[in-house]
Amino acid sequence: MVSKNQKNKRDLLSILDLTREEVDELLERTSKLKEKLKQAVPYQPLKGKTLAMIFTKSSTRTRVSFEVGMLQLGGQAIFLDSGDIQLGRGESLADTARTLSRYVDGILIRTFSQRDVEELARYAEVPVLNGLTDLLHPCQILSDIYTIVERRGSYQGLKLAHIGDGNNIANSWIQAAALLGFDLSIACPPGYEPDRNILNEALKITYSQITILHDPREAVKDVEVLSTDVWTSMGQETEREQRLRDFQGFQVNRELLSFAPQNVMVMHCLPAHRGEEITDEVLDGKHSIVFEQAENRLHLQKAILEKFL
Ligand code: CP
Ligand code: NVA
């Protein structure tokens, strides 16, 4: 038996698994790692380490940035399509976790249910990282915070609006705002509010203003950052027609930007459904920082890998 001595392992299932100080450390490490890469300074602290990456949903950014991140840090990622491993044929999450723990040094998972990720983590003896669930997308929002800090120096005094669905991205923004103490407005159609438990837990631990409203113009009034995401997330495809109707008026377009401050930054985690939640003009325009966001997934996640593995 391989002894991994991982009894004190830590998981990253939600932003609230971190303290504010730890987020600050991650942001600092991200700058250093980004700089090292730019200067082509070799840095391979994860030599000999492996990360299993279980995906039951599609991915471009998360998959590639974690694979490349592991490679750059000297380690190796193993991509596991859930349909190709026995998990897809009914092997339990617990047995999958126990087995993988005998081979690898960490497990990244992207799947539907947050509970499944929690179950995997409960039985894994190695750190488990959440690469997106229906409920949360912590790696995305942590790197988005890095992108914002890179642009404006810090997250202190930040005001951010998320326009559209109260989905995994919105829920992770809520946790980030609560932990780090910045102000957040979420504008969504009635019936598409963020998760109530996430919101209630967040409001208990924070002094920041977290507001849910239904008027996107009101939400963007005095913000520095405007974020949006698809109206139909992975797994909701059968609701697409209904959602297209319900989200009318929530598109991030030139008209909505006219209600925001002139230098507002526009973020989108991507992939975008161009012409639905955001217009080409805005996504490709001068306010958009979406490809910086995509790039910073790599750098921030390397800091996560360095810390957790
Ligand atoms: N933003 C994001 O997680 O993208 P992928 O679905 O391509 O991984
Ligand atoms: N809310 C989107 C995010 C994709 C990165 C989804 O879950 O499909």
Side-chain angles (χ1 to χ4, degrees):
M1 182 188 136
V2 182
S3 168
K4 293 207 171 284
N5 193 22
Q6 291 273 18
K7 291 209 175 87
N8 295 323
K9 65 119 181 183
R10 291 217 20 219
D11 304 308
L12 181 58
L13 310 189
S14 129
I15 288 178
L16 297 184
D17 288 333
L18 296 166
T19 63
R20 182 180 170 150
E21 290 68 33
E22 285 176 319
V23 174
D24 291 342
E25 278 166 28
L26 279 177
L27 299 174
E28 269 179 41
R29 281 306 295 162
T30 304
S31 294
K32 300 242 158 66
L33 293 169
K34 188 169 178 176
E35 191 52 33
K36 273 191 211 295
L37 186 68
K38 293 245 149 82
Q39 306 295 333
V41 179
Y43 178 63
Q44 306 215 307
L46 298 188
K47 227 175 174 131
K49 302 252 181 194
T50 43
L51 176 74
M53 309 204 318
I54 304 174
F55 280 70
T56 68
K57 287 175 171 173
S58 307
S59 172
T60 299
R61 280 143 288 267
T62 306
R63 175 180 176 177
V64 178
S65 56
F66 267 105
E67 283 196 23
V68 171
M70 277 303 284
L71 187 77
Q72 290 179 355
L73 293 172
Q76 165 106 38
I78 303 170
F79 179 74
L80 302 170
D81 184 319
S82 65
D84 291 343
I85 58 174
Q86 299 288 10
L87 186 65
R89 292 184 56 252
E91 185 167 15
S92 73
L93 281 161
D95 289 349
T96 304
R98 292 180 182 117
T99 304
L100 289 177
S101 299
R102 301 290 176 113
Y103 303 134
V104 301
D105 301 285
I107 304 171
L108 172 79
I109 179 164
R110 163 171 290 198
T111 191
F112 294 89
S113 152
Q114 180 75 14
R115 286 202 176 167
D116 284 354
V117 177
E118 286 163 6
E119 175 147 347
L120 187 83
R122 195 159 43 247
Y123 292 98
E125 286 158 36
V126 296
V128 172
L129 309 175
N130 180 352
L132 177 147
T133 61
D134 292 347
L135 191 69
L136 297 171
H137 197 0
C139 297
Q140 177 71 52
I141 299 306
L142 288 168
S143 41
D144 290 352
I145 286 160
Y146 177 77
T147 303
I148 292 169
V149 170
E150 206 177 29
R151 281 278 182 152
R152 77 189 278 287
S154 82
Y155 53 72
Q156 316 271 1
L158 173 68
K159 286 186 176 189
L160 184 144
H162 180 79
I163 309 299
D165 193 13
N167 61 13
N168 41 17
I169 296 292
N171 292 331
S172 284
W173 275 126
I174 288 174
Q175 294 190 328
L179 182 68
L180 305 179
F182 59 82
D183 290 349
L184 172 68
S185 316
I186 296 190
C188 57
Y192 293 95
E193 289 82 8
D195 185 84
R196 178 129 305 272
N197 292 331
I198 297 274
L199 183 63
N200 289 343
E201 288 306 308
L203 292 174
K204 273 189 216 153
I205 61 161
T206 197
Y207 52 85
S208 61
Q209 293 273 344
I210 302 178
T211 318
I212 313 297
L213 63 174
H214 300 303
D215 179 356
R217 295 175 178 186
E218 176 70 21
V220 304
K221 220 169 47 189
D222 56 358
V223 297
E224 284 170 72
V225 180
L226 191 168
S227 145
T228 190
D229 184 22
V230 292
W231 294 338
T232 304
S233 284
M234 290 180 276
Q236 298 173 332
E237 288 76 9
T238 56
E239 298 169 25
R240 186 176 139 81
E241 295 307 318
Q242 182 66 46
R243 284 173 172 266
L244 281 176
R245 286 192 290 278
D246 292 344
F247 282 86
Q248 287 314 306
F250 286 82
Q251 187 184 62
V252 176
N253 52 26
R254 187 201 302 197
E255 203 218 333
L256 183 62
L257 285 201
S258 73
F259 292 89
Q262 268 193 346
N263 53 357
V264 71
M265 292 180 266
V266 173
M267 302 185 93
H268 190 312
C269 65
L270 302 176
H273 290 168
R274 287 170 174 262
E276 289 184 19
E277 76 276 3
I278 191 164
T279 56
D280 285 334
E281 183 184 30
V282 172
L283 198 67
D284 300 328
K286 64 173 192 217
H287 297 279
S288 169
I289 56 169
V290 300
F291 294 105
E292 278 171 48
Q293 273 181 273
E295 176 186 335
N296 284 331
R297 294 289 303 278
L298 171 67
H299 308 299
L300 186 284
Q301 289 164 189
K302 282 169 71 181
I304 289 176
L305 289 166
E306 183 188 51
K307 178 177 173 64
F308 282 81
L309 261 60

